[in-house]
Amino acid sequence: MAESRVRDVARRAVHAEITAVAECLFREQGYDATTVDHIAERAGISQRTFFRYAGTKEDLVLGEFERQGERMVDVLRSRPAAENPWTSLRHAFEVVVASRGEQSDRDRAKLMYSIIESSPALRAAYLDRMDLIQRGLVDALLDRATGTDSRVVTRALVGAAFAALNAVMEACDPESNGPDTFAADLDHVLAQLEPTSTRN
């Protein structure tokens, strides 16, 4: 058990180092111009080691978004079955709110979004992953549904909530908008868009 924990810590440390090197190169020369070989050479590792610890170049940028999505689904599944779906989705979005706690976290998020926007291929991959997250949220809501909730309506509900989250993320200023301001803005937008059918 102790040996496994040591391996996990070492793996995370190597992954963090590779990520830091990659982000530095993305800043210097752009995402598309940076190759796995460039990252491996700067990090002082082989290409094989890169793939073992980092997966793909795309994963270095999108991996955290995917992990946040998995945590959102977990939070949604933990919410009371009788809670209205809109409220449950807001609780799931707390994963994103919490991720903006430190200025360094907000700065890194800003960098990640700028990298995504700089590459059409990466943006397409990002949108594909966001779609998978939304589908996971839809499944979580449908699994607890007791009425005649249809997948189409639930998909539209999740899409609307996600659109509100994205709108607030795009509009926020990472230099000044900490988690409290971000949460307040998100609550305001969600309140404006909440479907009347979900209100208690």
Side-chain angles (χ1 to χ4, degrees):
M1 183 67 74
E3 185 178 344
S4 176
R5 284 198 298 270
V6 170
R7 283 199 300 269
D8 287 343
V9 170
R11 175 175 289 277
R12 286 195 296 270
V14 173
H15 185 275
E17 175 63 22
I18 294 171
T19 300
V21 168
E23 290 175 4
C24 182
L25 284 169
F26 295 155
R27 284 193 197 95
E28 291 175 5
Q29 56 193 39
Y31 176 84
D32 288 333
T34 301
T35 66
V36 168
D37 284 339
H38 292 151
I39 299 169
E41 181 179 358
R42 177 76 68 89
I45 59 175
S46 67
Q47 189 181 88
R48 180 177 179 180
T49 299
F50 173 92
F51 288 122
R52 183 189 313 142
Y53 286 95
T56 66
K57 187 177 77 164
E58 182 181 286
D59 290 334
L60 290 175
V61 179
L62 303 182
E64 182 55 30
F65 294 106
E66 193 166 3
R67 288 186 287 274
Q68 281 188 5
E70 291 168 356
R71 293 195 293 273
M72 281 194 281
V73 172
D74 289 342
V75 171
L76 187 58
R77 289 191 180 280
S78 74
R79 300 304 302 170
E83 186 173 69
N84 85 60
W86 199 254
T87 299
S88 294
L89 286 166
R90 171 59 184 88
H91 283 285
F93 292 164
E94 193 63 28
V95 170
V96 178
V97 175
S99 74
R100 305 179 62 81
E102 301 294 332
Q103 183 64 51
S104 59
D105 296 328
R106 298 194 291 274
D107 290 342
R108 184 171 185 274
K110 181 179 180 180
L111 171 64
M112 292 299 100
Y113 282 115
S114 69
I115 291 170
I116 290 168
E117 290 299 323
S118 74
S119 168
L122 188 59
R123 178 163 176 74
Y126 170 78
L127 293 174
D128 282 344
R129 296 197 189 199
M130 293 303 101
D131 183 66
L132 287 174
I133 291 169
Q134 291 185 55
R135 291 177 185 278
L137 295 170
V138 169
D139 289 341
L141 287 175
L142 289 175
D143 285 347
R144 75 180 199 185
T146 56
T148 57
D149 307 54
S150 74
R151 175 167 290 275
V152 173
V153 172
T154 304
R155 183 76 166 91
L157 183 76
V158 170
F162 228 80
L165 176 64
N166 285 331
V168 174
M169 290 172 67
E170 289 175 4
C172 73
D173 178 5
E175 296 298 325
S176 58
N177 285 20
D180 292 340
T181 303
F182 183 83
D185 290 347
L186 179 59
D187 287 337
H188 174 72
V189 174
L190 287 173
Q192 299 301 307
L193 297 179
E194 182 179 2
T196 55
S197 61
T198 69
R199 295 172 184 166
N200 292 327

